[in-house]
């Protein structure tokens, strides 16, 4: 392996930055879009440079931020942008709020709850559809294989089994490769990044939703060691994004009352509800869904959001319960009673003793080590696969097919090494099993015998977990079989994550953990009275804690899954021990994947070394500013030659007594204002009639990156020499910090307020009113350590 995934991102980003730099030089040489009048261009550029040079003086050096502006989303590289979660405070938005009537405010509140209802309905129906589809497709494949085995046509059985797996795997991978590369992988890191304030191309687009649903069904049906639970979170977020777009101008679906949602704040709340609904639909765990969104997904939380997510997940639970009632009468093909992964272990009598506690402590400790090793290996595999995936669609599909062949061989040939076991004498047990999900698979055994490994491997993942969790099965699975199954699932789970199909990590870890728990339960039989089915649950809980590092939400999800509150203390103990042990070695799997993908995720706490430096030490230059009333040509030139998304607006004499920071204006708002052509020949404030020409709807956030582009502007030579008043569209109350504030403190404020830009102002008077602008990338450890390589080794107080 020659490069890591992070190095690939950095190298491509370096190349992209070089291209941008070359473009910038050409733009400056050609005067951007202002061709034909070199003298005029020189005058504009000179005027702008002099002013901006004055505001760049406080910078000790001309620093540039070299952190990556692109990241791996799904399985492809895409440019990324920050989201504006800040409440924008300018004349146009304030006028719109003041003019709203009570009925419009009532509409806004009702609409939020109505959209939460629709998100719950949509996600619940998709969850049911996924389960029905997987049970029928995988069930057909397993019934066909079992029938051929019963006729002793072993080679035909393998060819049918492996052939169907390869076709399903190739189809799932092709969808990701050609239609929506962003749909590959779990999707939870991408949703987590979005809720942290990072927007990436097509991350929540309609085609991503389509591929996520269909690809997840095909991938799970293909027998991969993946789950549909992670993709369900991404699916819920996509459904929420689609509903919360505020309509679509492209398809003429823009209604006046949907305009309230054309901003990032409301979309963030909707997507948080969607993520919670995804977990609720995947595990039939409504409370677990809310807690997952709170603990793992969302970076900002408030009480109103708690109510709305709870309502959304309650709707999901009702939809699933109704769907199960319909399917219980046999209307859903092979998807029969008790589907939707409810593992009932409540029939067991739970009492604890000292030996049980010792066994659980050992179980949790070993699971912590196993979880940290799992994360370490997943990290290496994803980095290696990213190099293969970037070579093109053919490589992505080939990789997926290779893993499918390997998985099929393991699943089909490993049961041959297990010995045949006589069927239990209990008359209530059907042995060998006749249905596709039974726990007593005959495989190659003689009549009245079963193969315990085949009962685990030749099943859907959900049915294998159900068999492992079952309190009715005590010693039917041999210790050797449990060890083989655990080792196979553990390593197949690692090598499967990272291929270009929608793939969740929950089910592989639960499956491996359940086998590991049963194994420990069998080994500790002399000192513990707990049933092995309960140990399977505790093993799943401890391995989940060791890999994902969640505690509260995982605990509740597992209790809702298994329907047994008596296990609560033991599950809590296992989770806490495994998380504590694993945290000594590395981070949670989703945090590691965020880092591999190059997504600039802001942690809840700043790095300790950031206390040693102040805000002015990391601001990048040169700083580009505008006057309150600016020449159109100057604005066009800055937009042409920089990629910045926010610019300080400075009021200067005669419009103010001394230079002062009026506020911050966004690139997207400048483009709207320039397109409206509300210009004046003289340098004067805009009157109300000019402001009235611009609708607040025009400033709404466009869906999926469909806003106005610089190329869309068509300005005449005469218009370039005119002026435009920026005051009405400028945020007059931007978040500012004094230049001597510690970077750690600034980082906490930046994250808590959900900012995109933070203005750094001077401590003393008589200097330019703004020192620089801090963005998400200025807080990244790569940027800070790039400027000050030795600071990490210094002691802090």
């Amino acid at each position: 392996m020659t490069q890591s995934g992070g190095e690939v991102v950095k190298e491509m980003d370096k190349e992209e930055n070089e291209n941008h730099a070359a473009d910038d030089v050409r733009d400056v040489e050609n005067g951007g879009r202002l061709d034909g009048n070199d003298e005029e261009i020189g005058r504009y550029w000179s005027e702008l440079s002099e002013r901006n040079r004055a505001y760049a003086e406080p910078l000790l050096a001309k620093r540039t931020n070299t952190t990556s502006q692109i990241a791996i989303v799904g399985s492809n590289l895409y440019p990324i942008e920050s989201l504006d979660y800040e409440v924008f405070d300018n004349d146009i938005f304030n006028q719109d709020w003041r003019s709203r009537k009570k009925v419009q405010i009532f509409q806004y509140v009702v609409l939020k709850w109505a959209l939460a209802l629709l998100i719950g309905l949509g996600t619940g129906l998709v969850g049911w559809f996924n389960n029905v589809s997987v049970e029928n497709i995988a069930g057909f494949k397993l019934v066909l294989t079992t029938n051929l085995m019963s006729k002793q046509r072993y080679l035909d059985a393998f060819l049918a089994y492996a052939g169907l797996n390869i076709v399903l795997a190739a189809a799932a991978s092709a969808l990701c490769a050609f239609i929506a590369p962003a749909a590959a992988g779990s999707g939870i890191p991408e949703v987590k990044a979005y809720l942290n304030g990072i927007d990436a191309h097509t991350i929540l687009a309609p085609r991503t939703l389509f591929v996520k649903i269909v690809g997840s069904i095909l991938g799970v049906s293909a027998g991969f060691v993946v789950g549909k639970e992670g993709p369900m979170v991404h699916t819920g977020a996509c459904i929420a994004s689609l509903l919360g777009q505020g309509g679509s101008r492209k398809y003429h679906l823009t209604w006046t009352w949907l305009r309230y949602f054309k901003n990032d704040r409301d979309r963030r709340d909707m997507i948080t509800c969607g993520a919670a609904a995804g977990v609720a639909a995947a595990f039939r765990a409504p409370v677990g869904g809310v807690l997952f969104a709170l603990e793992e997904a969302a970076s900002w939380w408030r009480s109103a959001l708690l109510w709305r997510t709870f309502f959304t997940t309650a709707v999901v639970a009702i939809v699933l319960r109704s769907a199960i009632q319909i399917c219980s009468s046999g209307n859903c093909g092979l998807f029969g009673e008790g589907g939707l992964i409810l593992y009932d272990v409540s029939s067991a009598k739970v009492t604890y003793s000292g030996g049980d506690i010792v066994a659980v402590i050992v179980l949790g400790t070993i699971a912590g080590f196993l979880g940290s090793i799992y994360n370490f290996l997943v990290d290496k595999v994803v980095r290696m696969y990213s190099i293969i995936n970037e070579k093109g669609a053919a490589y992505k599909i080939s990789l997926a097919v290779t893993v499918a062949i390997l998985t099929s061989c393991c699943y089909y040939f490993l049961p041959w090494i297990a010995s045949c076991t006589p069927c239990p004498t209990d008359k209530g047990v059907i042995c060998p099993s006749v249905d596709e999900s039974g726990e007593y698979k005959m495989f190659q055994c003689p009549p009245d015998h079963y193969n315990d490994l085949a009962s685990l491997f030749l099943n859907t993942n959900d049915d294998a977990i159900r068999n492992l969790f079952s309190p009715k099965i005590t010693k039917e699975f041999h210790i050797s079989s449990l060890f083989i199954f655990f080792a196979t699932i553990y390593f197949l789970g690692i090598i499967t994550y990272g291929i270009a199909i929608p793939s969740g990590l929950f089910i592989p870890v639960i499956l491996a953990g359940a086998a590991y728990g049963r194994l420990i339960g069998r080994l500790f039989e002399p000192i513990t009275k707990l049933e092995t089915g309960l140990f399977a649950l505790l093993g799943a809980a401890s391995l989940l804690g060791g890999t994902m590092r969640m505690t509260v939400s995982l605990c509740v999800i597992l209790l809702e899954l298994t329907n047994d509150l008596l296990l609560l203390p033991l599950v809590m103990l296992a989770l806490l021990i495994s998380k504590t042990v694993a945290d000594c070695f590395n981070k949670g799997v989703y945090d590691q994947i965020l880092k591999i993908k190059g997504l600039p995720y802001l942690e809840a706490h700043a790095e300790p070394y950031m206390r040693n430096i102040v805000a002015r030490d990391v601001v990048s230059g040169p700083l580009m500013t505008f006057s309150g009333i600016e020449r159109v040509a100057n604005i066009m030139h800055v937009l042409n030659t920089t990629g910045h998304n926010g610019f300080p607006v400075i009021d200067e004499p005669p419009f103010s007594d001394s230079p002062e920071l009026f506020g911050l204006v966004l690139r997207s708002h400048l483009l709207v204002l320039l397109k409206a052509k509300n210009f004046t020949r003289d340098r004067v404030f805009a009157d109300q009639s000019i402001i009235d020409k611009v609708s607040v709807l025009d400033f709404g956030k466009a869906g999926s990156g469909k806003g106005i582009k610089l190329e869309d502007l068509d300005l005449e030579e005469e218009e370039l020499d005119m002026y435009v008043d920026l005051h009405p569209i400028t945020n007059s109350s931007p978040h500012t910090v004094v230049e001597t504030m510690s970077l750690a403190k600034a980082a906490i404020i930046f994250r808590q307020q959900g900012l995109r830009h933070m203005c750094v102002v001077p401590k003393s008077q008589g200097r330019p009113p703004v020192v620089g602008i801090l963005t998400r990338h200025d807080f990244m450890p790569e940027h800070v350590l790039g400027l000050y390589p030795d600071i990490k080794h210094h002691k802090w107080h």
Side-chain angles (χ1 to χ4, degrees):
M1 194 171 79
T2 55
Q3 281 180 309
S4 72
E7 286 165 350
V8 172
V9 171
K10 281 180 184 168
E11 191 165 303
M12 290 199 63
D13 189 50
K14 181 181 172 188
E15 191 178 313
E16 189 179 275
N17 286 339
E18 284 168 1
N19 292 339
H20 281 320
D23 289 343
D24 287 353
V25 169
R26 281 196 295 274
D27 279 340
V28 173
E29 286 170 355
N30 297 332
R33 294 166 60 89
L34 316 177
D35 298 324
N37 193 337
D38 294 342
E39 197 175 317
E40 284 292 302
I41 293 160
R43 183 163 59 82
Y44 296 148
W45 182 237
S46 170
E47 178 189 322
L48 199 63
S49 297
E50 273 180 41
R51 187 171 71 239
N52 283 319
R53 201 177 295 123
Y55 298 129
E57 277 174 14
L59 293 172
L60 301 176
K62 187 182 174 183
R63 303 189 195 96
T64 53
N65 193 320
T66 56
T67 55
S68 180
Q69 306 289 325
I70 55 173
I72 301 171
V73 179
S75 58
N76 275 22
L77 284 162
Y78 289 112
I80 50 173
E81 280 200 9
S82 292
L83 294 161
D84 297 303
Y85 289 153
E86 185 181 357
V87 176
F88 225 70
D89 185 18
N90 65 27
D91 293 346
I92 290 175
F93 284 111
N94 290 345
Q95 177 64 30
D96 180 59
W97 271 106
R98 284 193 293 270
S99 65
R100 285 189 190 177
K101 302 182 177 97
K102 282 186 179 178
V103 66
Q104 289 176 309
I105 294 167
F106 179 73
Q107 269 182 346
Y108 173 64
V109 173
V110 168
L111 198 58
K112 279 210 269 197
W113 287 97
L115 286 173
L117 173 69
L118 290 173
I119 292 165
L121 285 171
T123 311
L125 288 171
V126 168
W128 168 75
F129 174 71
N130 277 6
N131 278 278
V132 170
S133 303
V134 168
E135 290 288 326
N136 280 286
I137 297 170
F140 167 77
K141 178 186 73 180
L142 293 169
V143 166
L144 178 63
T145 308
T146 307
N147 288 343
L148 289 168
M149 290 286 294
S150 63
K151 295 172 186 171
Q152 298 190 342
R153 293 166 59 187
Y154 300 131
L155 181 61
D156 290 348
F158 172 69
L159 292 175
Y161 179 72
L164 285 169
N165 282 349
I166 290 165
V167 169
L168 291 166
S173 188
L175 283 173
C176 284
F178 294 113
I179 299 176
S186 164
I188 291 177
E190 282 85 351
V191 172
K192 197 173 168 179
Y194 185 94
L195 294 175
N196 190 257
I198 304 160
D199 192 14
H201 184 67
T202 69
I203 193 171
L204 300 169
R207 69 170 185 263
T208 305
L209 172 63
F210 168 75
V211 172
K212 204 76 185 184
I213 295 169
V214 179
S216 176
I217 291 167
L218 294 171
V220 176
S221 302
F224 283 119
V225 184
V226 297
K228 50 191 178 294
E229 284 63 36
M232 269 307 301
V233 174
H234 195 176
T235 299
C238 288
I239 291 169
S241 175
L242 200 61
L243 292 168
Q245 286 281 356
S248 166
R249 291 189 179 186
K250 185 178 176 183
Y251 300 110
H252 306 289
L253 295 174
T254 297
W255 293 284
T256 308
W257 43 272
L258 272 175
R259 70 192 173 120
Y260 305 131
F261 292 92
K262 282 196 170 291
N263 63 80
D264 288 328
R265 284 176 71 82
D266 282 316
R267 274 186 212 164
R268 175 188 70 190
D269 290 353
M270 292 291 140
I271 286 160
T272 305
C273 289
V279 173
F283 293 110
R284 228 172 86 197
V287 180
V290 175
L291 291 172
F292 173 84
L294 170 60
E295 184 180 1
E296 183 67 11
S299 293
W300 296 277
W301 197 264
R302 59 184 197 282
S303 56
L305 194 55
L306 182 70
W307 275 103
R308 213 167 301 124
T309 49
F310 187 67
F311 170 69
T312 310
T313 56
V315 172
V316 172
I318 292 165
V319 169
L320 293 181
R321 173 55 61 192
S322 306
I324 289 169
Q325 292 291 339
I326 294 166
C327 288
S328 61
S329 55
N331 296 327
C332 303
L334 296 171
F335 180 76
E337 292 183 38
L340 284 164
I341 59 168
L342 181 68
Y343 313 115
D344 191 2
V345 297
S346 57
S347 57
K349 297 269 186 356
V350 183
T351 53
Y352 319 129
S353 64
D356 301 331
I357 303 297
V358 170
V360 172
I361 290 170
V362 172
L363 179 100
T365 306
I366 297 171
F369 286 112
L370 289 171
S372 60
I373 294 166
Y374 192 91
N375 290 4
F376 173 78
L377 294 174
V378 163
D379 182 292
K380 300 299 177 196
V381 167
V382 172
R383 286 178 188 275
M384 185 172 67
Y385 284 178
S386 67
I387 298 165
I388 298 169
N389 286 336
E390 72 172 8
K391 292 181 179 177
Y395 285 87
K396 291 179 184 177
I397 296 167
S398 301
L399 182 61
V401 168
T402 304
V403 175
I405 293 168
L406 178 63
T407 306
S408 300
C409 290
C410 289
Y411 274 36
Y412 187 83
F413 292 116
L414 282 174
W416 288 86
I417 64 175
S419 56
C420 293
T421 310
C423 284
T425 52
D426 185 0
K427 291 182 180 177
V429 172
I430 301 171
C431 179
S433 303
V434 289
D435 63 345
E436 81 286 349
S437 63
E439 58 265 37
Y440 298 104
K441 293 263 182 169
M442 189 164 140
F443 201 62
Q444 89 292 12
C445 294
D448 297 327
H449 285 72
Y450 72 97
N451 185 316
D452 58 346
L453 258 184
S455 304
L456 293 171
F457 278 123
L458 292 181
N459 250 328
T460 61
N461 292 338
D462 289 357
D463 287 326
I465 294 170
R466 196 174 285 113
N467 290 344
L468 285 166
F469 278 7
S470 174
K472 298 170 194 164
I473 300 173
T474 50
K475 296 188 178 180
E476 279 81 348
F477 299 123
H478 295 111
I479 290 178
S480 57
S481 299
L482 287 169
F483 180 78
I484 292 166
F485 183 72
F486 163 69
T488 307
I489 296 298
Y490 186 86
F491 287 106
L492 281 178
I494 290 165
I495 66 163
T496 305
Y497 194 83
I499 62 174
I501 62 162
S503 53
L505 279 168
F506 270 101
I507 290 297
V509 175
I510 291 175
L511 195 54
Y516 156 73
R518 244 183 203 271
L519 186 61
I520 294 289
R522 292 291 297 276
L523 294 174
F524 275 85
E525 269 179 339
I527 65 162
T528 179
K529 298 285 191 295
L530 285 179
E531 292 186 7
T532 49
L534 301 182
F535 264 107
L537 172 64
L538 294 171
S542 59
L543 201 57
L544 281 168
T547 53
M548 299 185 183
R549 317 294 161 84
M550 293 181 277
T551 50
V552 181
S553 53
L554 277 181
C555 189
V556 173
I557 286 169
L558 287 167
L559 291 177
E560 288 184 282
L561 265 181
T562 53
N563 203 20
D564 193 359
L565 274 170
L566 292 169
L567 280 171
L568 181 61
L570 291 181
V571 171
M572 289 171 71
L573 182 64
L575 274 169
L576 286 168
I577 292 170
S578 63
K579 175 180 160 47
T580 306
V581 170
D583 277 340
C584 298
F585 300 100
N586 51 28
K587 288 189 171 185
V589 68
Y590 295 130
D591 293 323
Q592 284 192 292
I593 292 166
L594 279 168
K595 191 173 178 62
I596 297 165
K597 287 176 176 286
L599 292 163
Y601 186 85
L602 280 175
E603 297 290 349
H605 54 83
E607 295 290 342
Y609 56 79
M610 288 186 183
R611 296 181 206 161
N612 288 341
I613 49 179
V614 294
R616 69 161 174 245
D617 292 338
V618 297
V619 288
S620 307
L623 178 66
M624 306 304 288
T625 65
F626 291 128
S627 291
I629 301 169
E630 186 59 88
R631 194 189 297 269
V632 174
N634 290 351
I635 297 172
M636 285 295 294
H637 196 88
V638 170
L639 295 181
N640 257 304
T641 55
T642 70
H644 303 324
N645 281 293
F647 304 92
V649 174
I650 311 288
D651 272 341
E652 299 167 311
F655 302 106
S656 63
D657 296 333
S658 60
E660 61 182 38
L661 176 65
F662 178 77
L664 192 83
V665 67
L666 295 181
R667 171 183 282 263
S668 58
H669 292 181
L670 283 170
L671 291 171
V672 172
L673 195 65
L674 291 173
K675 190 162 188 185
K677 299 191 177 184
N678 292 332
F679 308 143
T680 54
R681 294 195 177 278
D682 301 314
R683 202 174 178 200
V684 294
F685 288 108
D687 58 31
Q688 193 61 40
S689 62
I690 291 177
I691 295 169
D692 289 342
K693 288 181 188 174
V694 184
S695 165
V696 75
L697 279 172
D698 297 326
F699 292 96
K701 177 74 178 275
S704 308
K706 296 188 181 76
I708 299 171
K709 305 281 192 303
L710 197 58
E711 300 77 47
D712 300 335
L713 301 181
D714 184 23
L715 300 179
E716 303 293 332
E717 193 71 36
E718 184 185 356
E719 290 169 329
L720 292 170
D721 208 25
M722 297 173 80
Y723 292 91
V724 61
D725 185 5
L726 302 182
H727 293 99
I729 64 164
T730 301
N731 180 7
S732 56
S733 58
H735 283 78
T736 59
V737 295
V738 71
E739 60 184 342
T740 52
M741 180 183 281
S742 80
L743 192 64
K745 198 171 180 182
I748 299 298
I749 294 169
F750 193 93
R751 188 186 191 273
Q752 285 179 346
Q753 298 298 322
L755 304 182
R756 185 175 187 177
H757 306 99
M758 179 185 268
C759 294
V760 181
V761 295
K763 190 171 184 179
S764 56
Q765 294 182 342
R767 291 169 57 195
V770 61
V771 173
I773 288 184
L774 290 173
T775 65
R776 171 179 296 274
H777 291 276
D778 294 314
F779 296 105
M780 289 295 109
E782 293 83 1
H783 174 58
V784 178
L785 295 174
L787 294 174
Y788 307 102
D790 300 327
I791 197 166
K792 201 170 183 179
H793 307 295
H794 291 175
K795 290 185 179 179
W796 53 85
H797 303 286

